[in-house]
Amino acid sequence: MNLDQKHKIEYEKNKPENRRKRMQEGLPFPYPMAIAVELSAACNANCYMCPRKNLSRAVGNMDMGLYKKIIDELFENKVQLRKIFLYWMGEPLLNENFDKMIIYAKEKNVAEMVVMASNAIALNEENAKRLISSQLDELFISLDAFHQETYEKIRGKSISIEVIENNILRLMDLRKKMKSSYPYVRIKILKSDLNKDEIAEFKNKWNPIVDEVYVEEDINTWNATNENVNRNISGDSHFKERAEKGVQRWPCDRLWYQIAISQDGFVTPCIADWNGSGFIGNVKNNTIFEIWNSSEVVEMRRKHLDGECGELPMCKDCKRWIFRNMGDWLIKNRSKALAVCKKNAK
């Protein structure tokens, strides 16, 4: 890893033990620590581990007015998130205003880190220059393969992996020519049975080129409500190895620190809730503060504390809690876990 000073700090903050400490010391939070804002629900890839193609909710791009409403609320209430993720279930570069949205969040200083993930299919020269000029803090590129055959199995046959690689190489070259350190570029390979034998090649190729190569081991079935993803992933040895560790179910701590906002403004307290079965409000009609501190969210949290997750469609069969929990701490600190902020602190 070629970590700059900012990302050395981020690396420490992202450690699970430090995230737990922030939660234990800070609950209840008036606002979530992180928000995923779906700039687009459309996508130009067809990944075997993603349920997006079966979305029954609206598919489109977030308009600038709605986006500004989200950012303005955070700014006006002096909120600085740990991170704002400008993506969720689609490809953010498909939103024609993506760079304006990055710049607006940066100007308002509403997050320590402004992060975007991309499959890099639309990372042409113009978009690369726009990303660099926007001073996006971090670009997270999902490539997931070294060989074309593997790429097609994982991410579909829409494009050659060589085109993607050239897009990334051009981005790094342009960043140098534009004398910028933005964005910090992380390239990811999600470890699975399909690509496990080419991870070493992947790392050797990309380590000298990008800022960080990330081997992700959290292969999952989202919230296990999509038959195609369940079929594709449930037999993967890496998934089974991790899923079998979940013997006793603990409360999933995602409900206490993060939300996702769909391109048309609906809010869910979990990014794994890909199709919105847990939508609890819309920022067109309510503030983030009102939704985050609502009785609906408190009841979801209570169900997790009392072992009633099966009553929540988005949580019933989900396995991601295995990787996002604080053991019995939330149960033992029930009053703190169920507390909310009654008024917005400006």
Side-chain angles (χ1 to χ4, degrees), residues 221-239:
T221 56
W222 290 79
N223 61 358
T225 59
N226 183 271
E227 292 182 6
N228 291 329
V229 174
N230 289 345
R231 182 172 58 253
N232 291 340
I233 302 300
S234 60
D236 188 278
S237 63
H238 302 89
F239 172 76

PDB file of all heavy atoms in Angstrom, residues 221-239:
ATOM      1  N   THR A 221     -24.330 -12.686   0.402  1.00  0.00           N
ATOM      2  CA  THR A 221     -25.579 -12.775  -0.363  1.00  0.00           C
ATOM      3  C   THR A 221     -26.467 -11.560  -0.100  1.00  0.00           C
ATOM      4  O   THR A 221     -27.682 -11.648  -0.135  1.00  0.00           O
ATOM      5  CB  THR A 221     -26.344 -14.059   0.004  1.00  0.00           C
ATOM      6  OG1 THR A 221     -26.566 -14.090   1.421  1.00  0.00           O
ATOM      7  CG2 THR A 221     -25.578 -15.302  -0.415  1.00  0.00           C
ATOM      8  N   TRP A 222     -25.824 -10.420   0.184  1.00  0.00           N
ATOM      9  CA  TRP A 222     -26.571  -9.228   0.562  1.00  0.00           C
ATOM     10  C   TRP A 222     -27.452  -9.577   1.760  1.00  0.00           C
ATOM     11  O   TRP A 222     -26.951 -10.062   2.745  1.00  0.00           O
ATOM     12  CB  TRP A 222     -27.347  -8.656  -0.629  1.00  0.00           C
ATOM     13  CG  TRP A 222     -26.412  -8.066  -1.647  1.00  0.00           C
ATOM     14  CD1 TRP A 222     -25.679  -8.756  -2.590  1.00  0.00           C
ATOM     15  CD2 TRP A 222     -26.032  -6.698  -1.787  1.00  0.00           C
ATOM     16  NE1 TRP A 222     -24.880  -7.897  -3.306  1.00  0.00           N
ATOM     17  CE2 TRP A 222     -25.081  -6.616  -2.849  1.00  0.00           C
ATOM     18  CE3 TRP A 222     -26.415  -5.524  -1.144  1.00  0.00           C
ATOM     19  CZ2 TRP A 222     -24.506  -5.420  -3.248  1.00  0.00           C
ATOM     20  CZ3 TRP A 222     -25.848  -4.319  -1.548  1.00  0.00           C
ATOM     21  CH2 TRP A 222     -24.898  -4.276  -2.586  1.00  0.00           C
ATOM     22  N   ASN A 223     -28.765  -9.393   1.663  1.00  0.00           N
ATOM     23  CA  ASN A 223     -29.614  -9.791   2.795  1.00  0.00           C
ATOM     24  C   ASN A 223     -30.354 -11.094   2.510  1.00  0.00           C
ATOM     25  O   ASN A 223     -31.377 -11.399   3.121  1.00  0.00           O
ATOM     26  CB  ASN A 223     -30.594  -8.679   3.176  1.00  0.00           C
ATOM     27  CG  ASN A 223     -31.549  -8.320   2.042  1.00  0.00           C
ATOM     28  OD1 ASN A 223     -31.456  -8.873   0.949  1.00  0.00           O
ATOM     29  ND2 ASN A 223     -32.450  -7.388   2.303  1.00  0.00           N
ATOM     30  N   ALA A 224     -29.820 -11.855   1.557  1.00  0.00           N
ATOM     31  CA  ALA A 224     -30.315 -13.209   1.238  1.00  0.00           C
ATOM     32  C   ALA A 224     -31.758 -13.226   0.755  1.00  0.00           C
ATOM     33  O   ALA A 224     -32.471 -14.206   0.943  1.00  0.00           O
ATOM     34  CB  ALA A 224     -30.158 -14.125   2.457  1.00  0.00           C
ATOM     35  N   THR A 225     -32.198 -12.155   0.091  1.00  0.00           N
ATOM     36  CA  THR A 225     -33.568 -12.117  -0.431  1.00  0.00           C
ATOM     37  C   THR A 225     -33.630 -12.229  -1.948  1.00  0.00           C
ATOM     38  O   THR A 225     -34.717 -12.138  -2.532  1.00  0.00           O
ATOM     39  CB  THR A 225     -34.276 -10.813  -0.006  1.00  0.00           C
ATOM     40  OG1 THR A 225     -33.534  -9.690  -0.496  1.00  0.00           O
ATOM     41  CG2 THR A 225     -34.397 -10.730   1.511  1.00  0.00           C
ATOM     42  N   ASN A 226     -32.488 -12.438  -2.595  1.00  0.00           N
ATOM     43  CA  ASN A 226     -32.467 -12.573  -4.049  1.00  0.00           C
ATOM     44  C   ASN A 226     -32.053 -13.984  -4.429  1.00  0.00           C
ATOM     45  O   ASN A 226     -30.953 -14.438  -4.088  1.00  0.00           O
ATOM     46  CB  ASN A 226     -31.501 -11.551  -4.656  1.00  0.00           C
ATOM     47  CG  ASN A 226     -31.502 -11.594  -6.177  1.00  0.00           C
ATOM     48  OD1 ASN A 226     -30.741 -12.347  -6.784  1.00  0.00           O
ATOM     49  ND2 ASN A 226     -32.364 -10.803  -6.801  1.00  0.00           N
ATOM     50  N   GLU A 227     -32.929 -14.686  -5.122  1.00  0.00           N
ATOM     51  CA  GLU A 227     -32.686 -16.102  -5.440  1.00  0.00           C
ATOM     52  C   GLU A 227     -31.444 -16.292  -6.301  1.00  0.00           C
ATOM     53  O   GLU A 227     -30.692 -17.254  -6.117  1.00  0.00           O
ATOM     54  CB  GLU A 227     -33.911 -16.691  -6.132  1.00  0.00           C
ATOM     55  CG  GLU A 227     -35.138 -16.815  -5.222  1.00  0.00           C
ATOM     56  CD  GLU A 227     -36.314 -17.461  -5.932  1.00  0.00           C
ATOM     57  OE1 GLU A 227     -36.139 -17.913  -7.089  1.00  0.00           O
ATOM     58  OE2 GLU A 227     -37.407 -17.509  -5.331  1.00  0.00           O
ATOM     59  N   ASN A 228     -31.224 -15.407  -7.267  1.00  0.00           N
ATOM     60  CA  ASN A 228     -30.070 -15.555  -8.153  1.00  0.00           C
ATOM     61  C   ASN A 228     -28.760 -15.425  -7.389  1.00  0.00           C
ATOM     62  O   ASN A 228     -27.838 -16.227  -7.561  1.00  0.00           O
ATOM     63  CB  ASN A 228     -30.129 -14.505  -9.271  1.00  0.00           C
ATOM     64  CG  ASN A 228     -31.254 -14.746 -10.248  1.00  0.00           C
ATOM     65  OD1 ASN A 228     -31.638 -15.883 -10.496  1.00  0.00           O
ATOM     66  ND2 ASN A 228     -31.799 -13.669 -10.804  1.00  0.00           N
ATOM     67  N   VAL A 229     -28.683 -14.407  -6.535  1.00  0.00           N
ATOM     68  CA  VAL A 229     -27.463 -14.206  -5.751  1.00  0.00           C
ATOM     69  C   VAL A 229     -27.279 -15.344  -4.755  1.00  0.00           C
ATOM     70  O   VAL A 229     -26.161 -15.841  -4.571  1.00  0.00           O
ATOM     71  CB  VAL A 229     -27.507 -12.848  -5.024  1.00  0.00           C
ATOM     72  CG1 VAL A 229     -26.309 -12.712  -4.083  1.00  0.00           C
ATOM     73  CG2 VAL A 229     -27.512 -11.711  -6.036  1.00  0.00           C
ATOM     74  N   ASN A 230     -28.355 -15.766  -4.118  1.00  0.00           N
ATOM     75  CA  ASN A 230     -28.261 -16.898  -3.188  1.00  0.00           C
ATOM     76  C   ASN A 230     -27.697 -18.131  -3.891  1.00  0.00           C
ATOM     77  O   ASN A 230     -26.830 -18.830  -3.355  1.00  0.00           O
ATOM     78  CB  ASN A 230     -29.639 -17.224  -2.605  1.00  0.00           C
ATOM     79  CG  ASN A 230     -30.131 -16.174  -1.634  1.00  0.00           C
ATOM     80  OD1 ASN A 230     -29.362 -15.339  -1.169  1.00  0.00           O
ATOM     81  ND2 ASN A 230     -31.410 -16.208  -1.322  1.00  0.00           N
ATOM     82  N   ARG A 231     -28.189 -18.381  -5.095  1.00  0.00           N
ATOM     83  CA  ARG A 231     -27.736 -19.554  -5.852  1.00  0.00           C
ATOM     84  C   ARG A 231     -26.275 -19.418  -6.257  1.00  0.00           C
ATOM     85  O   ARG A 231     -25.499 -20.369  -6.191  1.00  0.00           O
ATOM     86  CB  ARG A 231     -28.618 -19.728  -7.092  1.00  0.00           C
ATOM     87  CG  ARG A 231     -28.270 -20.948  -7.947  1.00  0.00           C
ATOM     88  CD  ARG A 231     -29.295 -21.178  -9.042  1.00  0.00           C
ATOM     89  NE  ARG A 231     -29.441 -20.017  -9.922  1.00  0.00           N
ATOM     90  CZ  ARG A 231     -30.502 -19.213  -9.914  1.00  0.00           C
ATOM     91  NH1 ARG A 231     -31.501 -19.422  -9.076  1.00  0.00           N
ATOM     92  NH2 ARG A 231     -30.563 -18.188 -10.740  1.00  0.00           N
ATOM     93  N   ASN A 232     -25.878 -18.219  -6.648  1.00  0.00           N
ATOM     94  CA  ASN A 232     -24.513 -17.998  -7.127  1.00  0.00           C
ATOM     95  C   ASN A 232     -23.474 -18.020  -6.008  1.00  0.00           C
ATOM     96  O   ASN A 232     -22.338 -18.440  -6.224  1.00  0.00           O
ATOM     97  CB  ASN A 232     -24.422 -16.650  -7.853  1.00  0.00           C
ATOM     98  CG  ASN A 232     -25.182 -16.633  -9.168  1.00  0.00           C
ATOM     99  OD1 ASN A 232     -25.472 -17.685  -9.740  1.00  0.00           O
ATOM    100  ND2 ASN A 232     -25.528 -15.452  -9.635  1.00  0.00           N
ATOM    101  N   ILE A 233     -23.861 -17.564  -4.820  1.00  0.00           N
ATOM    102  CA  ILE A 233     -22.894 -17.336  -3.752  1.00  0.00           C
ATOM    103  C   ILE A 233     -22.929 -18.385  -2.644  1.00  0.00           C
ATOM    104  O   ILE A 233     -21.904 -18.695  -2.034  1.00  0.00           O
ATOM    105  CB  ILE A 233     -23.093 -15.933  -3.133  1.00  0.00           C
ATOM    106  CG1 ILE A 233     -22.949 -14.853  -4.211  1.00  0.00           C
ATOM    107  CG2 ILE A 233     -22.119 -15.677  -1.986  1.00  0.00           C
ATOM    108  CD1 ILE A 233     -21.598 -14.843  -4.904  1.00  0.00           C
ATOM    109  N   SER A 234     -24.099 -18.939  -2.359  1.00  0.00           N
ATOM    110  CA  SER A 234     -24.232 -19.798  -1.176  1.00  0.00           C
ATOM    111  C   SER A 234     -23.315 -21.019  -1.203  1.00  0.00           C
ATOM    112  O   SER A 234     -22.949 -21.547  -0.150  1.00  0.00           O
ATOM    113  CB  SER A 234     -25.692 -20.243  -1.013  1.00  0.00           C
ATOM    114  OG  SER A 234     -26.123 -20.966  -2.155  1.00  0.00           O
ATOM    115  N   GLY A 235     -22.912 -21.469  -2.407  1.00  0.00           N
ATOM    116  CA  GLY A 235     -22.032 -22.626  -2.497  1.00  0.00           C
ATOM    117  C   GLY A 235     -20.559 -22.281  -2.488  1.00  0.00           C
ATOM    118  O   GLY A 235     -19.703 -23.179  -2.457  1.00  0.00           O
ATOM    119  N   ASP A 236     -20.221 -20.993  -2.500  1.00  0.00           N
ATOM    120  CA  ASP A 236     -18.827 -20.572  -2.516  1.00  0.00           C
ATOM    121  C   ASP A 236     -18.152 -20.941  -1.198  1.00  0.00           C
ATOM    122  O   ASP A 236     -18.671 -20.651  -0.118  1.00  0.00           O
ATOM    123  CB  ASP A 236     -18.742 -19.062  -2.745  1.00  0.00           C
ATOM    124  CG  ASP A 236     -17.322 -18.591  -2.967  1.00  0.00           C
ATOM    125  OD1 ASP A 236     -16.598 -18.395  -1.964  1.00  0.00           O
ATOM    126  OD2 ASP A 236     -16.932 -18.433  -4.129  1.00  0.00           O
ATOM    127  N   SER A 237     -17.001 -21.555  -1.275  1.00  0.00           N
ATOM    128  CA  SER A 237     -16.339 -22.052  -0.066  1.00  0.00           C
ATOM    129  C   SER A 237     -15.974 -20.927   0.896  1.00  0.00           C
ATOM    130  O   SER A 237     -16.012 -21.103   2.118  1.00  0.00           O
ATOM    131  CB  SER A 237     -15.086 -22.853  -0.436  1.00  0.00           C
ATOM    132  OG  SER A 237     -14.132 -22.032  -1.090  1.00  0.00           O
ATOM    133  N   HIS A 238     -15.616 -19.748   0.360  1.00  0.00           N
ATOM    134  CA  HIS A 238     -15.255 -18.623   1.217  1.00  0.00           C
ATOM    135  C   HIS A 238     -16.467 -18.084   1.959  1.00  0.00           C
ATOM    136  O   HIS A 238     -16.377 -17.710   3.130  1.00  0.00           O
ATOM    137  CB  HIS A 238     -14.597 -17.517   0.384  1.00  0.00           C
ATOM    138  CG  HIS A 238     -13.379 -17.972  -0.337  1.00  0.00           C
ATOM    139  ND1 HIS A 238     -13.433 -18.521  -1.600  1.00  0.00           N
ATOM    140  CD2 HIS A 238     -12.080 -17.996   0.028  1.00  0.00           C
ATOM    141  CE1 HIS A 238     -12.206 -18.849  -1.979  1.00  0.00           C
ATOM    142  NE2 HIS A 238     -11.367 -18.546  -1.019  1.00  0.00           N
ATOM    143  N   PHE A 239     -17.612 -18.072   1.287  1.00  0.00           N
ATOM    144  CA  PHE A 239     -18.839 -17.634   1.952  1.00  0.00           C
ATOM    145  C   PHE A 239     -19.244 -18.627   3.036  1.00  0.00           C
ATOM    146  O   PHE A 239     -19.578 -18.240   4.157  1.00  0.00           O
ATOM    147  CB  PHE A 239     -19.972 -17.488   0.933  1.00  0.00           C
ATOM    148  CG  PHE A 239     -21.315 -17.236   1.570  1.00  0.00           C
ATOM    149  CD1 PHE A 239     -21.641 -15.988   2.077  1.00  0.00           C
ATOM    150  CD2 PHE A 239     -22.248 -18.261   1.676  1.00  0.00           C
ATOM    151  CE1 PHE A 239     -22.874 -15.757   2.673  1.00  0.00           C
ATOM    152  CE2 PHE A 239     -23.478 -18.038   2.273  1.00  0.00           C
ATOM    153  CZ  PHE A 239     -23.795 -16.778   2.769  1.00  0.00           C
TER     154      PHE A 239
END
